[in-house]
Amino acid sequence: MTVLETNADPVLHEEIRALAEARNAVILAHNYERPEIQDVAHYVGDSLGLSREAARTDADVIVFCGVHFMAETAKILSPDKTVLLPDLAAGCSLAATIDAAQLRAWKAEHPGAVVVAYVNTTAEVKAESDYCCTSGNAVEVVNAIDPGREILFLPDMFLGAHVRRVTGRPNIHVWMGECHVHAGIDPEHINLQRAAHPGAEFLIHPECGCATPVVEAMSAGAIDSKDVHILSTEGMIKRPQQSPVDEFIVATELGILHRLRRENPGKKFFAANDRAQCAYMKVTTLPKVLRSLETLTHEITVPADVAAKARLSIERMVAIGGSGGGPALSPFRTSDEDPGE
């Protein structure tokens, strides 16, 4: 069995939902989670969309099925709610590429520079940053900054290269971090899939290792740009509903295929790389979600001073805006203002 196949347990599913109702809890799941986790969640989306859903919900308890930095962001935006992470092993290889001490040292090398941090960062790093951004609004955030100011963009080098290219700003310094999953999707995978599915649209996340050479190839005319769409995860969710095409090659983590197929049953989706799986996202299971609700573990907290500074960088990002988000997978509230991750 692959992680894309649903390891469903109807009895456990109903037990989790019943306990969530009794606890006045909402279950949030990231697009990359296991199918059965997405199915039991009240809302499925990207990290910022889920955090905003956490902030607007009337629930007392938030069970965040994602990775640690996402639960931290939810806590920052929902300080009065109990935020739970079912498994503390749910880390992030990209967020781990830079810590607050490293960022302070980098800032010291570039006094006066504006720090723009991707949301895939720890609360401590967000607190040391001036702006947060998502892949969906990174260009807008950078364009809102005085062109004469140096920018320190972190931590993803592929997204940073994309932003520098699109904005045309030479004064953007990019941290050399990467997501191990996205970095593993390279042009060879793309070429093989495009040859196998010549009529398919190609949806690519700007974090991918293939993003830079693909954009360069598009600029050179080697790739037909009408079939290529560089999108955030929520942009990927939306695109099939807008497109007349029936087949799509998806260059991001495999978990998103479950939601794409669920919301577009008449269309076909192919992974750019069928090994693009995040082990951190897959540590969360139904038994762990149940145990988290039963025992209220593991509770995520953020020191008040760190949370206040981090919240400011997030609010600056939100004030700039971005493109819209995706629908809920249940009768819970939908989000139509999420800028995408």
Side-chain angles (χ1 to χ4, degrees), residues 102-134:
Q102 290 173 307
L103 177 51
R104 285 192 290 268
W106 199 28
K107 289 164 66 174
E109 295 173 3
H110 301 275
V114 178
V115 179
V116 178
Y118 189 31
V119 291
N120 293 42
T121 47
T122 65
E124 289 81 4
V125 168
K126 288 183 176 72
E128 291 287 339
S129 303
D130 297 299
Y131 293 86
C132 279
C133 72
T134 68

Side-chain angles (χ1 to χ4, degrees), residues 16-32:
I16 289 170
R17 278 304 190 98
L19 185 54
E21 183 176 355
R23 290 280 197 193
N24 191 27
V26 63
I27 302 168
L28 308 179
H30 191 270
N31 290 317
Y32 297 163

